[in-house]
């Protein structure tokens, strides 16, 4: 029974998303190192093991610590935070920990302060311009490698990139264009350094590229995360169909304003997050409502969107002929704009097969 | 010591914000029933008791349950969610619980299902058009009152409004205009119903109106919440000066890109929330950086803003002459756009006098 806003997880859809990506990785002979920042759950993590996955990606050292009991090879895909050196040393004592480095300063700090060996990737900025070394700055790469060579505790693994700018694409062609440039950048680097580092790995992995592209020539590892649930933002980019989206937020209806075709639900910015999509038709939206069926959900209900969110309130715009279908004490199901942010706020799942699944930092 | 993103609370500023609002309420002879959804903390709640506060507002029944051990008169300023009737009955057994009603259906459900008396306010839509009965719909008000009269468990307290549209104002005059209309609407309703309900209360309470207005004639109770911390959004509206803002997020610096005058910090959408401000000068921003001083912070650093946020990353745009002041392993302090959303994500505070303060659902 739904009493309060609840994040419903369709287990079949989620497991299918995992299986499909695992198969794609096998087909393209790339290592599948999924990013677990989307689901943040030990239990969902186990569903990957059925597909032979034994290496994962996380976005913080805290998250690495959470997954440590069940995962022994973890890449923290975030520029190394040297202020957490104690945590790094604690983790590196127990697992194969891989860090991201993009400056000589960080490399120097690590060789002086590491107590156990860690792997590291040099983060490459292949066009997103958020973090990473630009490929033209070969001297920074060389500096980092030179520093690492004097220490047995800092082991070069390869080059890693994240094309986060695919999230701003409006179509598949643009995603493929970014993906191709990213691959070219990484493959060129491998060419340059492979004689010296024969085992170096090329790692990439945004969900749009991994979902849409069919060419991973020269790439060794992919790290998509969001695909485990997908969402409306990914659907708009072209990564997934609506029926691949594996999470929906159940929100109790608390008021109906039929004079303006709006319903008010218990479900606001502290549940969905304030992520939004801009659409030509509807303007800014914060989610879309789907049809409920016995245990899960079906198609989008046309012209039924979350048009605004306050802290706990969601305002849903409903079409004139549909408003009569809603009543106080019922609940709606809404697909989120950005499932990573919604899951992070909700901190637990209710599965379509009736179980509760906890996440990191569930209370 | 800062190792990870941490929400720093300046206790002096916070206590001054509380004192100032408590004094203002006294001066205007209105009951001060602060909204606790911003800080969500038993400990910070106690700072209000020094000013004689003994009634509070919260935004969910869950939050009422959290504050129940120390507060015995709680208004849940959210349309009653009838799916939580068991929780309502549990709470009403122990405290004076006040609910919001805006439909005859909800009133009917309550008289049939309440096991203990609750107070209720009729939520009035004084122009925000999010929730509430429009004052022209006198028949809905009469219907609700008629239903409540047959039950000793549903006790009419008065009319309550929230002018959330002041959050969209760009200056004080617009806030005062909305506040005046809201007061007029409520006072007219009191005139109409005061013979029948001689003790009826008029309650209003957005932070902009309560901070800026000096006229509360005819109003009985105010319920501001955000003022306890204030933030950049409120500063833009005109509710507070920058030096009234009582929380700042400390974020470790993990990368520096001096070619584009950007620093990358550990502190993203899962810490700040994705609330944003649109400015003519800087475009969209997600926070502003302040000068650090011994235990707290000082002025804004000019031209230093958070220009984008991913899940864990914040990208800070720094002016050309300032970029040399930052180094990896240091941290910045950022004022949030919307302190309610940031606090809700962070779930704990580090005070400027060296303590940790927990919130509801801290892990």
């Amino acid at each position: 029974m739904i009493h309060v806003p609840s994040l419903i997880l369709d287990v079949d859809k989620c497991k299918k998303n995992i299986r499909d990506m695992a198969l794609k990785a096998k087909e393209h002979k790339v290592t599948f190192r999924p990013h677990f920042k989307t689901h943040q759950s030990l239990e969902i993590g186990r569903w990957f093991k059925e597909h032979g996955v034994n290496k994962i990606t996380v976005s913080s050292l805290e998250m690495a610590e959470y997954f440590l009991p069940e995962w022994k090879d973890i890449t923290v895909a975030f520029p190394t935070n040297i202020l957490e050196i104690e945590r790094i040393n604690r983790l590196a004592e127990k697992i194969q920990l891989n860090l991201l480095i993009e400056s000589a300063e960080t490399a120097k700090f690590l060789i002086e302060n590491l107590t156990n060996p860690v792997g590291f990737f040099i983060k490459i900025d292949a066009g997103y311009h958020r973090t990473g070394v630009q490929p033209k700055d070969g001297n920074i790469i060389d500096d980092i490698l030179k520093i690492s060579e004097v220490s047995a505790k800092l082991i070069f693994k390869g080059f890693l990139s994240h094309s986060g700018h695919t999230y701003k694409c409006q179509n598949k062609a643009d995603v493929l264009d970014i993906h191709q440039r990213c691959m070219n950048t990484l493959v060129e680097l491998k060419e340059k350094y492979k004689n010296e580092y024969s085992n170096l790995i090329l790692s990439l992995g945004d969900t749009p590229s991994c979902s849409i592209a069919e060419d991973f020539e020269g790439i060794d590892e992919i790290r998509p995360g969001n695909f485990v649930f997908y969402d409306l933002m990914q659907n708009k980019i072209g990564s997934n169909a609506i029926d691949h989206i594996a999470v929906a937020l159940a929100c109790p209806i608390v008021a109906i304003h039929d004079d303006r075709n709006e319903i008010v639900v218990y479900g606001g910015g502290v549940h969905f997050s304030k992520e939004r999509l801009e659409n030509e038709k509807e303007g800014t939206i914060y989610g879309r409502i789907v049809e409920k069926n016995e245990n899960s959900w079906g198609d989008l209900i046309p012209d039924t969107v979350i048009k605004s969110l306050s802290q706990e309130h969601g305002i849903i715009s409903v079409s004139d002929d549909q408003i009569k279908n809603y009543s106080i004490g019922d609940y709606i199901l809404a697909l989120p704009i950005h499932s990573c942010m919604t899951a992070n706020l909700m901190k637990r799942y209710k599965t379509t097969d009736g179980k509760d699944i906890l996440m990191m930092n569930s209370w």
Side-chain angles (χ1 to χ4, degrees), chain A:
Chain A
M1 256 303 280
I2 301 299
H3 300 109
V4 293
S6 308
L7 189 58
I8 312 298
L9 172 63
D10 186 316
V11 178
D12 292 338
K13 287 180 182 178
C14 181
K15 287 188 171 174
K16 183 179 184 306
N17 291 340
I18 294 169
R19 188 175 61 240
D20 288 353
M21 194 61 82
L23 286 174
K24 187 165 188 176
K26 269 188 199 117
E27 188 189 324
H28 291 279
K29 299 184 176 61
V30 291
T31 299
F32 183 31
R33 183 191 282 275
H35 206 314
F36 277 12
K37 73 172 179 175
T38 304
H39 61 76
Q40 296 183 41
S41 158
L42 281 167
E43 184 161 347
I44 296 175
R46 284 175 212 130
W47 302 348
F48 289 77
K49 293 198 173 182
E50 295 164 26
H51 301 280
V53 173
N54 58 14
K55 298 171 176 182
I56 64 169
T57 310
V58 298
S59 56
S60 67
L61 290 157
E62 181 190 14
M63 211 180 287
E65 222 158 47
Y66 168 77
F67 282 110
L68 175 143
E70 301 191 10
W71 298 88
K72 302 304 169 198
D73 188 329
I74 302 180
T75 297
V76 183
F78 188 83
T80 302
N81 174 22
I82 62 173
L83 293 171
E84 289 183 278
I85 185 66
E86 286 179 26
R87 208 175 217 168
I88 290 170
N89 283 330
R90 271 202 315 273
L91 283 158
E93 206 184 318
K94 294 180 187 151
I95 59 166
Q96 171 64 45
L97 180 69
N98 304 309
L99 301 176
L100 261 50
I101 297 182
E102 62 176 88
S103 72
E105 285 155 277
T106 300
K108 255 183 236 158
F109 180 92
L110 288 174
I111 62 161
E112 286 163 12
N113 292 280
L114 283 172
T115 53
N116 289 285
V118 303
F120 78 94
F121 287 87
I122 296 180
K123 175 72 187 284
I124 300 298
D125 178 1
Y128 184 23
H129 305 323
R130 180 179 68 175
T131 61
V133 182
Q134 299 207 34
K136 66 176 167 51
D137 293 330
N139 56 329
I140 299 180
I141 296 173
D142 292 335
D143 285 351
I144 295 170
L145 290 174
K146 212 171 292 169
I147 292 163
S148 74
E149 278 161 17
V150 305
S151 167
K153 298 218 178 72
L154 204 52
I155 299 144
F156 181 51
K157 289 277 184 174
F159 297 106
L160 178 149
S161 188
H162 173 70
S163 295
H165 46 325
T166 56
Y167 277 57
K168 293 199 173 125
C169 291
Q170 306 283 330
N171 59 66
K172 294 184 182 185
D174 291 349
V175 171
L176 290 175
D177 184 49
I178 288 172
H179 174 64
Q180 192 59 53
R181 285 164 198 248
C182 180
M183 290 210 301
N184 294 348
T185 300
L186 291 179
V187 168
E188 270 175 41
L189 284 167
K190 190 168 187 170
E191 280 304 308
K192 188 170 166 192
Y193 290 93
K194 72 177 180 188
N195 291 335
E196 224 173 329
Y197 300 95
S198 57
N199 294 321
L200 82 81
I201 292 168
L202 297 182
S203 176
L204 58 75
D206 54 299
T207 280
S209 297
C210 293
S211 300
I212 296 167
E214 287 299 339
D215 179 6
F216 296 86
E217 193 65 38
I219 299 303
D220 302 290
E221 175 181 282
I222 60 171
R223 309 181 319 278
N226 176 284
F227 76 94
V228 67
F229 298 151
Y230 285 121
D231 53 34
L232 293 176
M233 196 188 285
Q234 292 295 331
N235 169 255
K236 196 178 177 197
I237 295 166
S239 307
N240 63 288
I242 287 291
D243 70 357
H244 297 152
I245 299 176
V247 286
L249 199 62
C251 302
I253 297 173
V254 294
I256 294 176
H257 296 279
D258 47 15
D259 54 323
R260 52 181 190 262
N261 290 327
E262 284 177 7
I263 62 176
V264 183
V265 297
Y266 180 13
V270 298
H271 307 101
F272 284 96
S273 92
K274 287 270 184 124
E275 288 276 17
R276 42 163 138 185
L277 268 188
E278 310 292 340
N279 281 317
E280 252 179 58
K281 189 176 170 194
E282 296 117 338
T284 303
I285 65 163
Y286 296 87
R288 290 185 185 279
I289 315 309
V290 282
E291 286 167 0
K292 291 191 285 183
N293 58 32
E294 202 171 347
N295 289 314
S296 178
W297 56 87
D299 286 342
L300 293 176
I301 302 175
D303 305 319
T304 309
V305 300
I306 304 176
K307 59 170 259 187
S308 72
L309 291 175
S310 331
Q311 187 158 340
E312 314 265 1
H313 299 74
I315 308 297
I316 297 175
S317 175
V318 176
S319 68
D320 206 27
D321 57 320
Q322 292 273 328
I323 189 84
K324 282 168 209 69
N325 301 342
Y326 299 93
S327 53
I328 288 171
D330 198 0
Y331 66 91
I332 56 95
L333 282 175
L335 301 183
I337 302 295
H338 189 174
S339 58
C340 308
M341 298 295 281
T342 304
N344 178 69
L345 279 160
M346 294 301 297
K347 294 272 185 281
R348 68 192 62 226
Y349 309 91
K350 260 185 191 303
T351 69
T352 42
D353 48 11
K355 289 186 201 137
D356 284 314
I357 294 184
L358 295 184
M359 290 171 64
M360 179 171 92
N361 295 334
S362 289
W363 50 83

